[in-house]
Structure formats: C-alpha cells, structure tokens
Amino acid sequence: MSRDEKNETEDLLSRRMSSGSASAAEKQSQAPLEAANDPSTDTEAFDPITDPIAEDAPEHSADAKPSTGPVRVAPAHSTNPHSQPATASTRAAEQNAAQKSAGTDSAAAASTADTGATREVPQNARTAVMSEADWAAVSKAATSTDVRDPEVPERRRSVLDVIGTIWIMLATPFVLLALAVRFVASGIFLKFEYFRPGFPADQFGFSAADREHYGTYVIDYLHNFDSRRYLADIVMPNGEPIFISEELSHMADVKGLISLLYLVALVGIIGSVLFGIYMCRKNGSGIHAGVRLGSIFSIIFMAAVAVVAVLGWDSFFRGFHKVFFADGTWEFYADDSLIRLFPPQFWVDAGIAGGGLFVLLAIILFLLSFTGHKKRRALRRARKDAAAEV
C-alpha cells in the first residue's frame, strides 16, 4: 500500500468516526427534550384553582408547529456535554413556554390585585377538589331556604288536662241553657211577646199593658232573693190578690229550679276558668278540645230535645213538668192568673227562642274552638318531622 492510499484510508475512517459521534451526541441531546415533553414525567402538581387553564392557544410564529400538549424545555444553562445548538423547532417551543409562563404570571398578578372579583373555575376543577355527590350536598345546604326551629316544644297532657277537658265539655250545655233561660225570662222577651202581632189576647180582661205590668213582677221574683211574699203582695185594682196559694207554691218551685240551674252554670264557669288557666300554660293542651266537644254535645242535646218537642209538644210539656215538679202543683185552670199571663203560645215561643239562642251560642263556641288551629297544626307537623329525622 502506498503512502497516499494509507492517508486516504485514515481520512475515510476519521470521517466515519466523526459522523458516528455526532449522531450519538444528537441522540443524547434529544433524550432530555423528549422526556420533558412527556406529560407522565411531569412531577409538578396541577392546582385547578391557582393555575389558569387557557382555552385558546397563544398565537405562534409562521414557522412554528402547533403543540398538542404542555412543552418542557431543557434549561438554557444545562451542563450536558452532548447538547447541540437549538434548532428552529426548539426555539419555537421555548417561545411558547415563555408566553405561557408570562400569561400565568399576569393572571396571578391580576387575581392578587383584585380580590373582590369573582374567578371562574373550570368544570373539571370541581371534581378535582370533591366528588359530584359532595358538591351537590354542599350546594343544597348553601341554597336551602328551609327554616326550622332546632327544638319544637311538645305539648304534654296530664291528668288535670283530661279532667279539665271533661269539665269544660259538661259545663258548656249548662252555661248555654242558663243564658237561654235568662233571655226568655226577661222583660225584653216578655214585652216582645205581649205586643207582637198574633199573640192571643186574654179572654178574661187583661190587656197587653196589664200583662206586661203583672208579668214583670213574676220575672223579677225569679231573679231576686225575696220570698214568695213578693208575689203575694201584688193585688188588682179591686184589692184582690193576683196569685192564689197554689200559684205561689208553683212559682217558688220554678224559682228554685232556675236558681239551681244558675248555680250549676256559675260553678261550671268558675271551674272552666280555673282549668283553662292551667291548661293554657306553656306547652299545655289548651281548652279548644273541651270547648269543641262541649259545643258539639250541646248541639246534639238540643237537637234531640227539639225532635221530641216537635213530635208532640203537649206530651213534651207535661213530661218536663212531671220530671221537675210534684204532681198536682203545676196544673191550673184557664182563669188563673198564671195561665192568663203565660198562655200555651207563650211557652211555644219561649221554647223556639230559647232553643235557637242555645244552638246559636253553641255554634259560635264551636267556631271559636278553631282559633289558632293553623298554628297548632304547624307545630304538630314540625314535631312529626323532627321525630322522623331523629
């Protein structure tokens, strides 16, 4: 082999070795860049609250290729001995990363400067913080308008509440009956009856004025504390007494019966007031149940009496007197003063007026028993809901 051929062979080997070294160096310099571009090798945690997500890609230069993912560029001060000078694609990637970093810094600065502004969080950022179920529960609790007391007082019913309810229920008809009797046994009703059209006249000579005059004494006697001599001293213009002894005895019995009714009604009212004060205490049962039951019982009672009276007034009238008066003390002749002052038509009208007033008052009590019903129903519903939640 000549010297020239030997030199050419050495030059060829040197070029091949130089080409192989350059290829190896280029491969080594591209490895860190590819590792940086791989999202799986990114060790930085992504915070969806503080790191803004760009919806629109930033504008690139004409010779730059669009990027489909985050770009990681090797630091400029890398000490890799095999690194090569940056190519055009590498410079474009560095420019994109710089623009993204600048956008992040400006967004963070704007968020720090304006703390009152509302920042829009992407939809996928919510699931990164909590699950869909937790987010729905928090949103419902924040927007709920249901206002409920934490503790709802419970009404307690004691033995006295039950006794008071029964007392009010039984006292109601006696109180209403006493009021009805007092209305009938009054000067107003007496005057209305004597002067109303159609009321039968006295065939023995009493005028309407005479009836009103003598009948007023009878009404006064039923409500005062005088004895039977109060009626015995009443005489006609000719000096004869108005009432005979049998009439005076019967009126004394009527006064005793009416006084007993008034006494029972008074005791019923006093007991109802005392029980009502106790039952209307805080968390008490209240008196509405007793008043409602009493009014219902009163209406049923008066309805039964009205049916019996309509079916046979004479039988009802006689049966009533036989129950409360002794035999032979309540029957008189047509010319006796009690019959002339209070004929049968008077008692029919008195029964209608008294019974109508009785029922009217019972209906009023029944309606009044529903006062505060909505509030009580709301409390019962609240207690039921609280018990269901427990």
Side-chain angles (χ1 to χ4, degrees), residues 169-186:
M169 181 187 69
L170 297 178
T172 300
F174 288 99
V175 174
L176 298 181
L177 184 60
L179 293 175
V181 170
R182 186 63 184 89
F183 172 73
V184 172
S186 63

mmCIF file with all atom_site columns, all heavy atoms in Angstrom, residues 169-186:
data_model
loop_
_atom_site.group_PDB
_atom_site.id
_atom_site.type_symbol
_atom_site.label_atom_id
_atom_site.label_alt_id
_atom_site.label_comp_id
_atom_site.label_asym_id
_atom_site.label_entity_id
_atom_site.label_seq_id
_atom_site.pdbx_PDB_ins_code
_atom_site.Cartn_x
_atom_site.Cartn_y
_atom_site.Cartn_z
_atom_site.occupancy
_atom_site.B_iso_or_equiv
_atom_site.pdbx_formal_charge
_atom_site.auth_seq_id
_atom_site.auth_comp_id
_atom_site.auth_asym_id
_atom_site.auth_atom_id
_atom_site.pdbx_PDB_model_num
ATOM 1   N N   . MET A 1 169 ? -116.388 20.330 78.804 1.00 0.00 ? 169 MET A N   1
ATOM 2   C CA  . MET A 1 169 ? -117.373 19.721 77.919 1.00 0.00 ? 169 MET A CA  1
ATOM 3   C C   . MET A 1 169 ? -118.736 19.592 78.597 1.00 0.00 ? 169 MET A C   1
ATOM 4   O O   . MET A 1 169 ? -119.784 19.882 77.988 1.00 0.00 ? 169 MET A O   1
ATOM 5   C CB  . MET A 1 169 ? -116.888 18.349 77.479 1.00 0.00 ? 169 MET A CB  1
ATOM 6   C CG  . MET A 1 169 ? -117.827 17.629 76.528 1.00 0.00 ? 169 MET A CG  1
ATOM 7   S SD  . MET A 1 169 ? -117.323 15.936 76.194 1.00 0.00 ? 169 MET A SD  1
ATOM 8   C CE  . MET A 1 169 ? -117.626 15.193 77.815 1.00 0.00 ? 169 MET A CE  1
ATOM 9   N N   . LEU A 1 170 ? -118.768 19.180 79.870 1.00 0.00 ? 170 LEU A N   1
ATOM 10  C CA  . LEU A 1 170 ? -120.037 19.010 80.574 1.00 0.00 ? 170 LEU A CA  1
ATOM 11  C C   . LEU A 1 170 ? -120.624 20.339 81.035 1.00 0.00 ? 170 LEU A C   1
ATOM 12  O O   . LEU A 1 170 ? -121.854 20.461 81.156 1.00 0.00 ? 170 LEU A O   1
ATOM 13  C CB  . LEU A 1 170 ? -119.833 18.085 81.782 1.00 0.00 ? 170 LEU A CB  1
ATOM 14  C CG  . LEU A 1 170 ? -119.409 16.652 81.456 1.00 0.00 ? 170 LEU A CG  1
ATOM 15  C CD1 . LEU A 1 170 ? -119.204 15.861 82.750 1.00 0.00 ? 170 LEU A CD1 1
ATOM 16  C CD2 . LEU A 1 170 ? -120.441 15.972 80.571 1.00 0.00 ? 170 LEU A CD2 1
ATOM 17  N N   . ALA A 1 171 ? -119.767 21.318 81.324 1.00 0.00 ? 171 ALA A N   1
ATOM 18  C CA  . ALA A 1 171 ? -120.269 22.612 81.801 1.00 0.00 ? 171 ALA A CA  1
ATOM 19  C C   . ALA A 1 171 ? -120.849 23.449 80.670 1.00 0.00 ? 171 ALA A C   1
ATOM 20  O O   . ALA A 1 171 ? -121.720 24.302 80.923 1.00 0.00 ? 171 ALA A O   1
ATOM 21  C CB  . ALA A 1 171 ? -119.143 23.380 82.488 1.00 0.00 ? 171 ALA A CB  1
ATOM 22  N N   . THR A 1 172 ? -120.410 23.226 79.451 1.00 0.00 ? 172 THR A N   1
ATOM 23  C CA  . THR A 1 172 ? -120.868 24.049 78.328 1.00 0.00 ? 172 THR A CA  1
ATOM 24  C C   . THR A 1 172 ? -122.380 24.024 78.144 1.00 0.00 ? 172 THR A C   1
ATOM 25  O O   . THR A 1 172 ? -123.011 25.099 78.029 1.00 0.00 ? 172 THR A O   1
ATOM 26  C CB  . THR A 1 172 ? -120.156 23.623 77.042 1.00 0.00 ? 172 THR A CB  1
ATOM 27  O OG1 . THR A 1 172 ? -118.743 23.797 77.202 1.00 0.00 ? 172 THR A OG1 1
ATOM 28  C CG2 . THR A 1 172 ? -120.629 24.441 75.859 1.00 0.00 ? 172 THR A CG2 1
ATOM 29  N N   . PRO A 1 173 ? -123.051 22.872 78.092 1.00 0.00 ? 173 PRO A N   1
ATOM 30  C CA  . PRO A 1 173 ? -124.512 22.905 77.889 1.00 0.00 ? 173 PRO A CA  1
ATOM 31  C C   . PRO A 1 173 ? -125.265 23.582 79.033 1.00 0.00 ? 173 PRO A C   1
ATOM 32  O O   . PRO A 1 173 ? -126.280 24.245 78.789 1.00 0.00 ? 173 PRO A O   1
ATOM 33  C CB  . PRO A 1 173 ? -124.895 21.420 77.769 1.00 0.00 ? 173 PRO A CB  1
ATOM 34  C CG  . PRO A 1 173 ? -123.762 20.681 78.351 1.00 0.00 ? 173 PRO A CG  1
ATOM 35  C CD  . PRO A 1 173 ? -122.541 21.491 78.101 1.00 0.00 ? 173 PRO A CD  1
ATOM 36  N N   . PHE A 1 174 ? -124.798 23.455 80.270 1.00 0.00 ? 174 PHE A N   1
ATOM 37  C CA  . PHE A 1 174 ? -125.478 24.119 81.391 1.00 0.00 ? 174 PHE A CA  1
ATOM 38  C C   . PHE A 1 174 ? -125.330 25.637 81.299 1.00 0.00 ? 174 PHE A C   1
ATOM 39  O O   . PHE A 1 174 ? -126.287 26.381 81.579 1.00 0.00 ? 174 PHE A O   1
ATOM 40  C CB  . PHE A 1 174 ? -124.908 23.620 82.719 1.00 0.00 ? 174 PHE A CB  1
ATOM 41  C CG  . PHE A 1 174 ? -125.299 22.220 83.061 1.00 0.00 ? 174 PHE A CG  1
ATOM 42  C CD1 . PHE A 1 174 ? -124.444 21.164 82.824 1.00 0.00 ? 174 PHE A CD1 1
ATOM 43  C CD2 . PHE A 1 174 ? -126.547 21.946 83.610 1.00 0.00 ? 174 PHE A CD2 1
ATOM 44  C CE1 . PHE A 1 174 ? -124.808 19.862 83.134 1.00 0.00 ? 174 PHE A CE1 1
ATOM 45  C CE2 . PHE A 1 174 ? -126.930 20.653 83.927 1.00 0.00 ? 174 PHE A CE2 1
ATOM 46  C CZ  . PHE A 1 174 ? -126.051 19.601 83.678 1.00 0.00 ? 174 PHE A CZ  1
ATOM 47  N N   . VAL A 1 175 ? -124.155 26.101 80.904 1.00 0.00 ? 175 VAL A N   1
ATOM 48  C CA  . VAL A 1 175 ? -123.954 27.542 80.752 1.00 0.00 ? 175 VAL A CA  1
ATOM 49  C C   . VAL A 1 175 ? -124.824 28.085 79.628 1.00 0.00 ? 175 VAL A C   1
ATOM 50  O O   . VAL A 1 175 ? -125.478 29.142 79.772 1.00 0.00 ? 175 VAL A O   1
ATOM 51  C CB  . VAL A 1 175 ? -122.460 27.838 80.504 1.00 0.00 ? 175 VAL A CB  1
ATOM 52  C CG1 . VAL A 1 175 ? -122.254 29.321 80.203 1.00 0.00 ? 175 VAL A CG1 1
ATOM 53  C CG2 . VAL A 1 175 ? -121.620 27.421 81.698 1.00 0.00 ? 175 VAL A CG2 1
ATOM 54  N N   . LEU A 1 176 ? -124.866 27.391 78.514 1.00 0.00 ? 176 LEU A N   1
ATOM 55  C CA  . LEU A 1 176 ? -125.694 27.845 77.395 1.00 0.00 ? 176 LEU A CA  1
ATOM 56  C C   . LEU A 1 176 ? -127.178 27.803 77.747 1.00 0.00 ? 176 LEU A C   1
ATOM 57  O O   . LEU A 1 176 ? -127.938 28.711 77.359 1.00 0.00 ? 176 LEU A O   1
ATOM 58  C CB  . LEU A 1 176 ? -125.427 26.968 76.173 1.00 0.00 ? 176 LEU A CB  1
ATOM 59  C CG  . LEU A 1 176 ? -123.994 27.005 75.620 1.00 0.00 ? 176 LEU A CG  1
ATOM 60  C CD1 . LEU A 1 176 ? -123.879 26.117 74.387 1.00 0.00 ? 176 LEU A CD1 1
ATOM 61  C CD2 . LEU A 1 176 ? -123.569 28.428 75.298 1.00 0.00 ? 176 LEU A CD2 1
ATOM 62  N N   . LEU A 1 177 ? -127.609 26.776 78.481 1.00 0.00 ? 177 LEU A N   1
ATOM 63  C CA  . LEU A 1 177 ? -129.013 26.695 78.882 1.00 0.00 ? 177 LEU A CA  1
ATOM 64  C C   . LEU A 1 177 ? -129.383 27.813 79.849 1.00 0.00 ? 177 LEU A C   1
ATOM 65  O O   . LEU A 1 177 ? -130.483 28.390 79.762 1.00 0.00 ? 177 LEU A O   1
ATOM 66  C CB  . LEU A 1 177 ? -129.281 25.328 79.518 1.00 0.00 ? 177 LEU A CB  1
ATOM 67  C CG  . LEU A 1 177 ? -130.728 25.042 79.922 1.00 0.00 ? 177 LEU A CG  1
ATOM 68  C CD1 . LEU A 1 177 ? -131.645 25.103 78.699 1.00 0.00 ? 177 LEU A CD1 1
ATOM 69  C CD2 . LEU A 1 177 ? -130.838 23.692 80.613 1.00 0.00 ? 177 LEU A CD2 1
ATOM 70  N N   . ALA A 1 178 ? -128.481 28.131 80.767 1.00 0.00 ? 178 ALA A N   1
ATOM 71  C CA  . ALA A 1 178 ? -128.743 29.229 81.701 1.00 0.00 ? 178 ALA A CA  1
ATOM 72  C C   . ALA A 1 178 ? -128.875 30.550 80.951 1.00 0.00 ? 178 ALA A C   1
ATOM 73  O O   . ALA A 1 178 ? -129.750 31.380 81.272 1.00 0.00 ? 178 ALA A O   1
ATOM 74  C CB  . ALA A 1 178 ? -127.624 29.310 82.736 1.00 0.00 ? 178 ALA A CB  1
ATOM 75  N N   . LEU A 1 179 ? -128.031 30.782 79.961 1.00 0.00 ? 179 LEU A N   1
ATOM 76  C CA  . LEU A 1 179 ? -128.137 32.008 79.174 1.00 0.00 ? 179 LEU A CA  1
ATOM 77  C C   . LEU A 1 179 ? -129.443 32.063 78.385 1.00 0.00 ? 179 LEU A C   1
ATOM 78  O O   . LEU A 1 179 ? -130.081 33.129 78.283 1.00 0.00 ? 179 LEU A O   1
ATOM 79  C CB  . LEU A 1 179 ? -126.944 32.118 78.223 1.00 0.00 ? 179 LEU A CB  1
ATOM 80  C CG  . LEU A 1 179 ? -125.569 32.318 78.877 1.00 0.00 ? 179 LEU A CG  1
ATOM 81  C CD1 . LEU A 1 179 ? -124.476 32.278 77.811 1.00 0.00 ? 179 LEU A CD1 1
ATOM 82  C CD2 . LEU A 1 179 ? -125.517 33.622 79.649 1.00 0.00 ? 179 LEU A CD2 1
ATOM 83  N N   . ALA A 1 180 ? -129.865 30.916 77.850 1.00 0.00 ? 180 ALA A N   1
ATOM 84  C CA  . ALA A 1 180 ? -131.114 30.879 77.092 1.00 0.00 ? 180 ALA A CA  1
ATOM 85  C C   . ALA A 1 180 ? -132.316 31.141 78.002 1.00 0.00 ? 180 ALA A C   1
ATOM 86  O O   . ALA A 1 180 ? -133.244 31.882 77.636 1.00 0.00 ? 180 ALA A O   1
ATOM 87  C CB  . ALA A 1 180 ? -131.248 29.530 76.385 1.00 0.00 ? 180 ALA A CB  1
ATOM 88  N N   . VAL A 1 181 ? -132.313 30.541 79.197 1.00 0.00 ? 181 VAL A N   1
ATOM 89  C CA  . VAL A 1 181 ? -133.419 30.754 80.145 1.00 0.00 ? 181 VAL A CA  1
ATOM 90  C C   . VAL A 1 181 ? -133.458 32.204 80.598 1.00 0.00 ? 181 VAL A C   1
ATOM 91  O O   . VAL A 1 181 ? -134.539 32.806 80.732 1.00 0.00 ? 181 VAL A O   1
ATOM 92  C CB  . VAL A 1 181 ? -133.269 29.798 81.343 1.00 0.00 ? 181 VAL A CB  1
ATOM 93  C CG1 . VAL A 1 181 ? -134.248 30.162 82.457 1.00 0.00 ? 181 VAL A CG1 1
ATOM 94  C CG2 . VAL A 1 181 ? -133.506 28.354 80.894 1.00 0.00 ? 181 VAL A CG2 1
ATOM 95  N N   . ARG A 1 182 ? -132.278 32.761 80.843 1.00 0.00 ? 182 ARG A N   1
ATOM 96  C CA  . ARG A 1 182 ? -132.244 34.165 81.280 1.00 0.00 ? 182 ARG A CA  1
ATOM 97  C C   . ARG A 1 182 ? -132.771 35.088 80.184 1.00 0.00 ? 182 ARG A C   1
ATOM 98  O O   . ARG A 1 182 ? -133.403 36.117 80.485 1.00 0.00 ? 182 ARG A O   1
ATOM 99  C CB  . ARG A 1 182 ? -130.809 34.561 81.643 1.00 0.00 ? 182 ARG A CB  1
ATOM 100 C CG  . ARG A 1 182 ? -130.711 35.962 82.251 1.00 0.00 ? 182 ARG A CG  1
ATOM 101 C CD  . ARG A 1 182 ? -131.471 35.991 83.561 1.00 0.00 ? 182 ARG A CD  1
ATOM 102 N NE  . ARG A 1 182 ? -131.497 37.320 84.153 1.00 0.00 ? 182 ARG A NE  1
ATOM 103 C CZ  . ARG A 1 182 ? -132.411 38.254 83.929 1.00 0.00 ? 182 ARG A CZ  1
ATOM 104 N NH1 . ARG A 1 182 ? -133.417 38.009 83.066 1.00 0.00 ? 182 ARG A NH1 1
ATOM 105 N NH2 . ARG A 1 182 ? -132.370 39.411 84.543 1.00 0.00 ? 182 ARG A NH2 1
ATOM 106 N N   . PHE A 1 183 ? -132.537 34.760 78.929 1.00 0.00 ? 183 PHE A N   1
ATOM 107 C CA  . PHE A 1 183 ? -133.070 35.578 77.848 1.00 0.00 ? 183 PHE A CA  1
ATOM 108 C C   . PHE A 1 183 ? -134.593 35.473 77.777 1.00 0.00 ? 183 PHE A C   1
ATOM 109 O O   . PHE A 1 183 ? -135.289 36.480 77.573 1.00 0.00 ? 183 PHE A O   1
ATOM 110 C CB  . PHE A 1 183 ? -132.456 35.136 76.510 1.00 0.00 ? 183 PHE A CB  1
ATOM 111 C CG  . PHE A 1 183 ? -133.087 35.782 75.321 1.00 0.00 ? 183 PHE A CG  1
ATOM 112 C CD1 . PHE A 1 183 ? -132.858 37.114 75.033 1.00 0.00 ? 183 PHE A CD1 1
ATOM 113 C CD2 . PHE A 1 183 ? -133.928 35.056 74.487 1.00 0.00 ? 183 PHE A CD2 1
ATOM 114 C CE1 . PHE A 1 183 ? -133.452 37.720 73.935 1.00 0.00 ? 183 PHE A CE1 1
ATOM 115 C CE2 . PHE A 1 183 ? -134.524 35.650 73.392 1.00 0.00 ? 183 PHE A CE2 1
ATOM 116 C CZ  . PHE A 1 183 ? -134.284 36.980 73.109 1.00 0.00 ? 183 PHE A CZ  1
ATOM 117 N N   . VAL A 1 184 ? -135.104 34.265 77.936 1.00 0.00 ? 184 VAL A N   1
ATOM 118 C CA  . VAL A 1 184 ? -136.558 34.092 77.876 1.00 0.00 ? 184 VAL A CA  1
ATOM 119 C C   . VAL A 1 184 ? -137.228 34.736 79.081 1.00 0.00 ? 184 VAL A C   1
ATOM 120 O O   . VAL A 1 184 ? -138.285 35.389 78.960 1.00 0.00 ? 184 VAL A O   1
ATOM 121 C CB  . VAL A 1 184 ? -136.900 32.584 77.786 1.00 0.00 ? 184 VAL A CB  1
ATOM 122 C CG1 . VAL A 1 184 ? -138.403 32.367 77.929 1.00 0.00 ? 184 VAL A CG1 1
ATOM 123 C CG2 . VAL A 1 184 ? -136.402 32.021 76.460 1.00 0.00 ? 184 VAL A CG2 1
ATOM 124 N N   . ALA A 1 185 ? -136.621 34.560 80.258 1.00 0.00 ? 185 ALA A N   1
ATOM 125 C CA  . ALA A 1 185 ? -137.185 35.133 81.481 1.00 0.00 ? 185 ALA A CA  1
ATOM 126 C C   . ALA A 1 185 ? -136.659 36.548 81.669 1.00 0.00 ? 185 ALA A C   1
ATOM 127 O O   . ALA A 1 185 ? -135.987 36.874 82.660 1.00 0.00 ? 185 ALA A O   1
ATOM 128 C CB  . ALA A 1 185 ? -136.840 34.259 82.678 1.00 0.00 ? 185 ALA A CB  1
ATOM 129 N N   . SER A 1 186 ? -136.948 37.406 80.737 1.00 0.00 ? 186 SER A N   1
ATOM 130 C CA  . SER A 1 186 ? -136.505 38.790 80.797 1.00 0.00 ? 186 SER A CA  1
ATOM 131 C C   . SER A 1 186 ? -137.646 39.701 80.363 1.00 0.00 ? 186 SER A C   1
ATOM 132 O O   . SER A 1 186 ? -138.591 39.281 79.672 1.00 0.00 ? 186 SER A O   1
ATOM 133 C CB  . SER A 1 186 ? -135.283 39.015 79.895 1.00 0.00 ? 186 SER A CB  1
ATOM 134 O OG  . SER A 1 186 ? -135.618 38.785 78.541 1.00 0.00 ? 186 SER A OG  1
#
